[in-house]
Amino acid sequence: MDTWTPNPRAKPFIPRQQRSLYLTWKYKLTNKRAVRRLCQSGAVLFLLVTVIVNIKLILDTRRAAIEEEAVQDYDEVLPNMETPRRPPNGRKVLDIEVYSSRSKVYVAVDGTTVLEDEMREQGRGIHVIVLNQATGHVMAKRVFDTYSPHEDEAMILFLNMVTRGRVLIFTIKDEGSFHLKDAAKSLLKGLGSQVSMSLSWRDMWTLVVKKGGQVYGEKHSKSPALSTWGDPVLLKTEVQLTASEDAECHWSDTELNRRRKLFCSKVEGYGSICSCKDPAPIEFSPDPLPDNRVYDVPVAVIAGNRPNYLYRMLRSLLSAQGVNPQMITVFIDGYYEEPMDVVELFGLKGVQHTPISIKNARVSQVRPRHTRAHRPDLGV
């Protein structure tokens, strides 16, 4: 220590101050090692994301290929299907095929496709078809998006209004269990389903059953994980038709009941209107309106393809005090069959026409038709 001498060229000592956040990050970024580690971490993350995306793409491609193969098999088999056979008792047998998958559903009856839905972003949920047990023709088609709230309640209401003995066909597209509550599952179980209580997320499912009777077939494919769908299922079964006498109600032969019989042989889902024991009325006798000045005023009803709403509205209208059914005309915006069947059930005048214009402007097209229907003398 005695020989130590200070270095005259040394810089004076200054206590080190704490760096700001900006200087700290600037120092780290100028450090080559830190930059190298940051680039390595980014490359690893990018590689990991790329691998995950590629795996998902491969799985989706594989599933789509399986579905296309199933559809091709169906197309190859369909031309070779035999004509409906007749068992020894002489009654016709229907060949029914029902397909359920993530992106497509279809139903074929005796080689004729009565339902096919492969539209993207549409038709999700449980598709229901009702067949006449004596003729095999389609009486009703409905789709209930049971992924969404309250659709299961609408399905319960519809199934309860279907006449006992009808053939019911069910198939799921995409997803149909998220809001399928226990009440709906119990109803399906009561119809004969063995797997309805265990239906879960993205399962595929088909069922053919007679309401209140035999189960003709059921298939179910479980989804292996939350991120995937169950494998497509194809149900092939046979349905033996019943005699026409057993499928019809024996009402008295009146003009009202002839209209009712024709309606109930074509469409379904209207509840007691087709009851054999106590059918709902289709003719009403409301009290007359005192000093009725609107008895001869024409009434125009504008309808689209919502026959159930039209049915309820016409029942309410015909029950109103002072109504004159002869002055009611229903204008159907499009050539739809079931709304016209509802109009004819109540014995009203119906006019079908090609839709003209769009949105609210369509209403203006009804006025001249309405005038011609009730005042032909005006020459409008």
Side-chain angles (χ1 to χ4, degrees):
M1 292 297 295
D2 295 337
T3 62
W4 178 82
T5 57
N7 184 3
R9 298 179 181 179
K11 294 181 180 181
F13 173 76
I14 300 175
R16 184 176 180 181
Q17 297 179 354
Q18 185 176 2
R19 290 193 183 99
S20 65
L21 185 62
Y22 168 75
L23 292 176
T24 302
W25 277 103
K26 181 178 180 182
Y27 172 77
K28 289 184 177 180
L29 290 176
T30 55
N31 190 328
K32 294 183 178 180
R33 181 178 297 177
V35 173
R36 188 164 55 250
R37 289 180 178 176
L38 182 62
C39 292
Q40 290 175 348
S41 300
V44 171
L45 181 61
F46 177 77
L47 181 61
L48 183 61
V49 171
T50 303
V51 170
I52 293 174
V53 171
N54 287 337
I55 291 175
K56 186 177 184 302
L57 180 62
I58 291 172
L59 292 176
D60 290 344
T61 304
R62 180 173 175 270
R63 183 172 298 278
I66 293 175
E67 292 184 1
E68 289 179 1
E69 183 179 352
V71 174
Q72 290 176 358
D73 292 342
Y74 166 73
D75 293 336
E76 292 174 359
V77 171
L78 191 57
N80 299 322
M81 290 181 62
E82 299 177 356
T83 56
R85 299 178 304 281
R86 291 185 179 273
N89 57 14
R91 294 180 183 174
K92 183 180 177 182
V93 172
L94 297 178
D95 290 312
I96 296 180
E97 293 192 10
V98 191
Y99 181 74
S100 169
S101 72
R102 169 190 175 183
S103 58
K104 179 178 180 178
V105 292
Y106 67 74
V107 176
V109 179
D110 276 349
T112 301
T113 301
V114 297
L115 168 68
E116 185 170 17
D117 186 349
E118 53 183 347
M119 297 288 291
R120 294 178 61 87
E121 310 297 333
Q122 295 182 22
R124 177 182 61 192
I126 300 179
H127 291 250
V128 183
I129 290 182
V130 183
L131 301 182
N132 187 302
Q133 70 270 36
T135 63
H137 85 261
V138 177
M139 305 186 72
K141 292 182 185 179
R142 299 289 188 275
V143 55
F144 301 96
D145 183 10
T146 44
Y147 176 83
S148 304
H150 308 300
E151 283 291 297
D152 61 328
E153 299 169 5
M155 186 178 73
I156 291 174
L157 177 62
F158 173 74
L159 293 177
N160 285 334
M161 296 183 75
V162 173
T163 305
R164 183 182 178 88
R166 303 299 190 199
V167 178
L168 298 171
I169 302 174
F170 300 86
T171 181
I172 286 181
K173 179 184 178 183
D174 190 9
E175 212 295 305
S177 65
F178 189 63
H179 279 283
L180 189 67
K181 299 184 180 66
D182 289 341
K185 292 181 178 180
S186 298
L187 176 60
L188 294 174
K189 181 180 179 181
L191 291 173
S193 173
Q194 299 295 317
V195 301
S196 63
M197 300 305 295
S198 60
L199 278 177
S200 58
W201 176 253
R202 290 180 174 174
D203 287 0
M204 298 297 109
W205 172 69
T206 59
L207 171 68
V208 180
V209 63
K210 177 182 286 188
K211 184 175 180 180
Q214 179 181 354
V215 177
Y216 297 105
E218 183 175 24
K219 276 195 175 182
H220 175 230
S221 174
K222 195 77 174 174
S223 171
L226 292 176
S227 59
T228 59
W229 286 258
D231 292 331
V233 295
L234 176 61
L235 172 64
K236 297 182 180 182
T237 186
E238 295 179 348
V239 173
Q240 182 172 319
L241 299 180
T242 61
S244 299
E245 297 78 14
D246 299 333
E248 297 177 353
C249 295
H250 302 289
W251 297 304
S252 57
D253 188 16
T254 64
E255 192 272 335
L256 288 178
N257 284 335
R258 283 193 291 271
R259 295 203 314 253
R260 186 194 304 273
K261 183 176 182 180
L262 178 62
F263 178 81
C264 294
S265 67
K266 296 170 63 178
V267 297
E268 256 297 349
Y270 292 85
S272 59
I273 198 74
C274 297
S275 172
C276 292
K277 296 181 179 180
D278 187 21
I282 57 175
E283 188 177 55
F284 306 88
S285 300
D287 295 332
L289 189 66
D291 192 21
N292 191 352
R293 299 182 180 180
V294 296
Y295 186 77
D296 294 326
V297 174
V299 177
V301 177
I302 305 172
N305 192 22
R306 293 188 174 183
N308 294 88
Y309 291 96
L310 178 62
Y311 169 79
R312 293 201 296 267
M313 193 279 296
L314 291 180
R315 282 184 59 91
S316 177
L317 177 62
L318 292 172
S319 302
Q321 190 177 8
V323 69
N324 181 4
Q326 301 300 320
M327 299 302 294
I328 299 175
T329 303
V330 181
F331 295 90
I332 301 173
D333 195 25
Y335 295 94
Y336 302 112
E337 188 174 346
E338 190 169 337
M340 197 64 183
D341 292 335
V342 173
V343 174
E344 293 173 351
L345 171 68
F346 291 109
L348 301 176
K349 288 180 289 187
V351 177
Q352 293 176 300
H353 59 87
T354 303
I356 302 175
S357 189
I358 59 174
K359 298 185 178 180
N360 295 341
R362 285 190 178 185
V363 178
S364 63
Q365 306 299 325
V366 175
R367 183 176 178 181
R369 294 185 177 89
H370 178 255
T371 305
R372 286 195 297 268
H374 291 282
R375 295 293 303 275
D377 56 300
L378 296 179
V380 179

